[in-house]
Structures are given as structure tokens and as C-alpha cells.
Amino acid sequence: MHTTDQQQTQEPSSQSSLTAHQNRTESLASTLDAWRRVLVRLDAALHWEQPATLGALLAGITLLFVLIAWLQPPLITMAALACLLAAACDYLVPCASQLLLPNDWSQADEQRYTDLCSRLVRYWDVVARGAETLVKWRRDRPQVYLAVTVLTLLGLMLIGERINNLFLAYLAVVALLLAPGLRRSGLPQRAMAQLIGKLRSGRKTE
């Protein structure tokens, strides 16, 4: 009886969570509506469905970092240029997409756009839960919070001291762009499975 009541309590909770997720997805889709044509094609490129677009994107990112390394602008100047570029893209890209991209918008495009917004909401939830975990550790387990924070920052300091920071930033951006396609292709999972298989076979041999 107690199990049945508990299941009945959990069902409305899960339904409420699903409804909240759908509402947030719809709100985000409405906010990004001007970008939907660009976002759908960018999502296809990042999942390696449009290799030419992905190649052009990686080439553009590489050229940008090469220019930064060549010009070596001050930090404030680089931050101002980044904000200026973001503001220009926010205005120009939706306008350019209406002129350059086809106006046809199929049901498949709409479904893909909705799925993309849903994934963005989930990613934000992961970040928010991570922040909440850190706040909880700081309140309830200050020793663990201090140890994790200090070790993480020291590790970043050592890495930044030994490797060029601009090169690290470039690698981080490229990894971020390649991550969706890698996850879809299953290459990391297969590589991890092969590594685990080799480790197990090595232990059996010993």
C-alpha cells in the first residue's frame, strides 16, 4: 500500500517536471525564433550532417585565433571586440538568414528546432545543478569544497603555466564544436570500451 502511494506521489511530480521543461523549451524557442534557420543548420553541421559547413566553421575559428595570436591585442581590447562581434551577430545574422537561407520551413525543421531548444534547456539544468552542488558543499561540507576548489585551481594554474593560454582556448573551442558529432558517432564510447577490454584482458593474462 505504501509503495502504491509513493508511486502515485512520484507520478504527479514527474508530470509537473515534464510540463515545466516543455514550458521552458517553448519559451526559449520563442526567444530564439529569429535564429531558428541558422540554429537548425548549425545543429546539423555540429552533428556532422553537413561536413562542408563544419569545415568552414572550424576554418573560421582557426583564422580568428591566428589573427589574435598575430595581433596580440590587450585583454580589454579583445573583450570589447568580442562583445562588439556578439552584438553585430545578434543583429546581422537573423537578417542575413532571412535573405540568404531558403524560406521553406518543414515539419522536420520545426521538430529539430524544438529538440535543440530542449537540449539547451537540459544543458542549462546541468550547469545549474552543478552550481547548486557547489553551494551545498560550501554550506554542508566546507572541507570538501575547499579541497576541490584549491586542487582544481592549482591544476588550472599549472596547465596554464606550461601551455600557451590562447592555444588552450583554441583547443577548448574546437573540442566544444566537435563534441556533438563525436557523441553521435559513438567514437568515444567505442574507444572506452576497447580500452576497458584491453585492461581486463591484461589483468586476466597476469
Side-chain angles (χ1 to χ4, degrees):
M1 187 68 177
H2 177 70
T3 304
T4 304
D5 294 339
Q6 187 176 7
Q7 291 177 348
Q8 292 176 351
T9 304
Q10 291 176 349
E11 288 178 359
S13 176
S14 61
Q15 292 177 356
S16 175
S17 177
L18 181 60
T19 302
H21 178 80
Q22 291 175 345
N23 292 336
R24 293 169 61 200
T25 300
E26 292 175 358
S27 177
L28 181 61
S30 177
T31 302
L32 299 177
D33 184 69
W35 283 75
R36 61 178 185 172
R37 291 184 178 87
V38 176
L39 290 176
V40 165
R41 283 158 179 80
L42 181 61
D43 184 65
L46 294 181
H47 286 85
W48 300 358
E49 296 177 17
Q50 297 179 356
T53 305
L54 179 60
L57 187 61
L58 292 175
I61 293 294
T62 302
L63 179 61
L64 176 62
F65 275 89
V66 169
L67 287 175
I68 293 175
W70 179 45
L71 298 174
Q72 296 183 349
L75 180 60
I76 295 179
T77 302
M78 192 163 58
L81 286 175
C83 294
L84 180 63
L85 182 62
C89 288
D90 185 47
Y91 176 76
L92 295 176
V93 171
C95 297
S97 67
Q98 294 179 0
L99 296 175
L100 301 177
L101 296 179
N103 292 326
D104 57 325
W105 186 255
S106 64
Q107 185 64 32
D109 292 332
E110 182 66 29
Q111 183 61 45
R112 180 162 205 148
Y113 178 60
T114 302
D115 293 341
L116 172 61
C117 292
S118 179
R119 290 199 305 272
L120 292 176
V121 170
R122 286 199 299 270
Y123 295 155
W124 175 256
D125 288 342
V126 171
V127 173
R129 283 196 297 269
E132 291 175 359
T133 301
L134 289 177
V135 172
K136 185 178 179 181
W137 280 3
R138 185 178 183 276
R139 183 184 65 246
D140 300 336
R141 306 171 65 184
Q143 294 85 358
V144 175
Y145 170 81
L146 180 62
V148 171
T149 303
V150 170
L151 291 176
T152 301
L153 294 178
L154 285 176
L156 290 175
M157 288 173 58
L158 291 174
I159 293 174
E161 190 70 24
R162 295 176 178 273
I163 305 176
N164 183 275
N165 292 181
L166 188 61
F167 181 64
L168 283 176
Y170 172 73
L171 290 180
V173 172
V174 171
L176 187 64
L177 292 177
L178 294 179
L182 286 172
R183 184 171 61 249
R184 184 188 180 192
S185 66
L187 291 176
Q189 294 86 340
R190 290 197 296 270
M192 184 61 66
Q194 291 178 358
L195 179 60
I196 293 175
K198 289 181 179 179
L199 291 175
R200 288 179 177 176
S201 62
R203 289 179 180 177
K204 291 179 180 179
T205 304
E206 295 176 357

